[in-house]
Amino acid sequence: MTDQPPKKRRIARLFATTRRRWALVLVVNCLVLTGIGLWAFWPQAVRLLPGSVQASVLPIEEAGAVLGVTLLSSTDSTEPPPELATTPESCKAAVGPATRAVYGGGWTKFYSATYQDSADVADHVVIQVLGTYPDGKQAGEVFTTLSKAVSGCESATRTAGGASSKWLYEADETTPDTLTWSAFQSGGGEWGCYRQAKLKGSTVLQAAVCQSGFGAPAAAKIAEKFAAKVGQ
């Protein structure tokens, strides 16, 4: 992995979240609300039928190869979870980039997959999210919603499962079709979530890597591979 720049190291030390809290609170409390199915033991041929929306995401083995680790646990969802309780409310899309705060209800196809190296306490987490809309205009509006939320939200408090946590966000790059940013929880160790979103035609996709250490290069590589598969 690429060495973490000094600026990133300072931010990670101050604002990173613990991997235990992220895996248990963010994945379980947020995504279980939408009826996630545990697919870890389903045959790959069944999970990734040619032409299906599931076939657009990188399979667990390929995502693990990008990180250089073995990912063992897999969960998925076919609709975005509800918005998270957030203060200020203007940061809802930044706090929950895969929720209805971003993807809304106008999508024609939605799919998210989360891979971890452990079902309970994860050292590495990979998330892929895809929402397809009737046309490029609607997809562009969704992408703009996410871009504006991330660039306009430096910090926010999220409440989930009766617990509140403060998060800080840093937008690294914004272009008409690519958004790169990072999210860290105040008061943690060197654990961070590195994210990239892409607008491709009528689809808005995202890739995230959460781990201890600089995960931006892995997130960018997964997003690139993911985008190349969309529409195939």
Side-chain angles (χ1 to χ4, degrees):
M1 299 294 291
T2 304
D3 290 339
Q4 186 174 355
K7 180 179 179 182
K8 292 292 184 182
R9 288 199 296 269
R10 291 196 296 270
I11 293 174
R13 284 196 296 268
L14 291 173
F15 304 120
T17 181
T18 63
R19 56 180 174 269
R20 292 175 183 268
R21 184 178 302 170
W22 192 95
L24 295 176
V25 175
L26 183 57
V27 175
V28 175
N29 287 344
C30 175
L31 296 182
V32 74
L33 297 175
T34 62
I36 291 172
L38 180 61
W39 288 21
F41 303 105
W42 283 37
Q44 188 72 280
V46 174
R47 294 199 314 239
L48 303 179
L49 296 174
S52 67
V53 66
Q54 291 89 345
S56 296
V57 303
L58 270 67
I60 192 169
E61 298 84 0
E62 187 174 355
V66 173
L67 271 66
V69 300
T70 300
L71 299 172
L72 301 172
S73 172
S74 175
T75 58
D76 81 317
S77 178
T78 55
E79 62 180 82
E83 298 178 357
L84 297 172
T86 307
T87 304
E89 288 195 4
S90 59
C91 285
K92 279 188 175 182
V95 173
T99 69
R100 295 173 194 166
V102 173
Y103 285 94
W107 44 271
T108 57
K109 294 180 181 179
F110 180 89
Y111 186 70
S112 67
T114 300
Y115 305 147
Q116 300 183 178
D117 54 4
S118 170
D120 298 318
V121 181
D123 291 316
H124 300 86
V125 181
V126 174
I127 305 168
Q128 297 173 86
V129 185
L130 175 153
T132 297
Y133 294 83
D135 53 50
K137 180 177 182 295
Q138 292 185 50
E141 291 171 352
V142 171
F143 184 81
T144 298
T145 294
L146 178 59
S147 297
K148 287 184 176 179
V150 171
S151 62
C153 182
E154 293 185 357
S155 65
T157 298
R158 186 195 72 211
T159 301
S164 296
S165 55
K166 184 176 182 180
W167 290 75
L168 278 84
Y169 304 90
E170 180 178 334
D172 300 318
E173 178 186 4
T174 303
T175 70
D177 60 7
T178 301
L179 171 67
T180 304
W181 77 105
S182 307
F184 304 97
Q185 185 179 0
S186 179
E190 293 191 356
W191 175 262
C193 294
Y194 303 86
R195 302 178 179 273
Q196 187 168 116
K198 289 182 176 293
L199 173 63
K200 182 176 180 181
S202 59
T203 296
V204 178
L205 63 92
Q206 296 181 52
V209 170
C210 296
Q211 62 178 38
S212 180
F214 191 48
K221 187 171 183 179
I222 291 173
E224 181 180 1
K225 287 176 170 287
F226 185 9
K229 296 183 67 175
V230 170
Q232 290 184 351

